[in-house]
Amino acid sequence: MAVVIAVDGPAASGKGTIARALARHFGLPHLDTGALYRAVALAAARERIAPDDEDALGRLAARLDLTLLEDPMLRSAATAEAASRISAHPAVRTALLAFQRSFATQPGGAVLDGRDIGTVIAPEADAKLFVTAAPAVRARRRWLELGAPGGEEGLATVEAEIAARDARDRDRDAAPLRIADDAILLDTTDLDKDAAVRRAIDHVVDRLGPAS
Ligand code: C5P
C-alpha cells in the first residue's frame, strides 16, 4: 500500500516505537530521521567540528557516512544532546532534506518519524500523528532505556536533559517542533506500548479507509 505516514513528537514520546510498529503493520519502509541528526553530531564530534560551525556542519551533513547509523554511540545521551544543538542550523537541515524527501516519496510509500515530518519533510503525508506524553513519563522511559543510571538523581538529570532538548526543538527558527494542522494528537502518558500502537494503527485505518 503506497501511503506516507508522518510521526512527530518530542524526545522519548514513543514515536519511534509507534513508527516502527506502523511500518511493520502496513508493510512500509521506515526512516528514523533523528538518527540522521545524531549521525551528523557523532561525525562532528569525531572530526572535532564545533557545534556552532554551521558551514562545516552543513558540509559534513551533505557527505554523511550512513554507516554511522549503526554506531552504538548513536543512542547515547551525549549524542542526543549534540544532535539537538546541530539540528538548529538551517545548513544542516537543508543538507539532510533531499534524502528524507526522497525516502518519503518513494513509490511504495513510507513511515518517517522525527520533529518536522508532517510540517516540512512530508506535508502531503496521508496520515499524520503527533505523539506525546507527560514530561515525567517520557523521562522515566528514557532513563529505563539507558539502564536506569544514577538512581533518582540520574532520573532528574535525564528529565532536565529532555526538557532542554524539547525547548531547543520547539524554540528554534528552522523547522521547529510543532503539531501539523492536520495531525492527530496521540498522548501515550497512560498507555502501554501495545495500546499506543493499537491507537496509532486505528487512526491510520480511519484516515485511509477500511481497504488499508
Ligand atoms: O528523535 P531523536 O531523539 O533521535 O532526535 C535527536 C535530535 O535530532 C532531536 O532532539 C532534534 O533536535 C533533532 N531532530 C530534528 N528533526 C528531526 C528529527 C530529529 O531536528 N526530524
Side-chain angles (χ1 to χ4, degrees), residues 11-12 77 81 135-166:
E81 162 80 13
V137 170
R138 292 192 279 119
R140 181 165 288 276
R141 284 179 192 158
R142 179 52 48 87
W143 176 69
L144 290 172
E145 249 171 49
L146 293 169
E152 287 303 308
E153 239 174 75
L155 174 59
T157 306
V158 171
E159 188 161 358
E161 280 166 2
I162 285 184
R165 207 139 71 82
D166 288 349

Side-chain angles (χ1 to χ4, degrees), residues 15 32-35 37-38 75 80 83-84 87 93 100 114-117 165 169 172:
K15 64 183 183 313
D32 165 5
T33 64
Y37 292 93
R38 287 172 182 255
R75 294 286 133 208
S84 100
S87 68
R93 306 200 73 81
Q100 296 176 82
R115 303 290 187 291
D116 61 343
I117 309 303
R165 207 139 71 82
D169 289 346
R172 69 184 176 214

Side-chain angles (χ1 to χ4, degrees), residues 5 17-31 110-111:
I5 305 174
T17 303
I18 287 173
R20 277 191 300 277
L22 287 171
R24 230 181 354 261
H25 184 87
F26 293 105
L28 295 167
H30 166 236
L31 180 65
V111 182

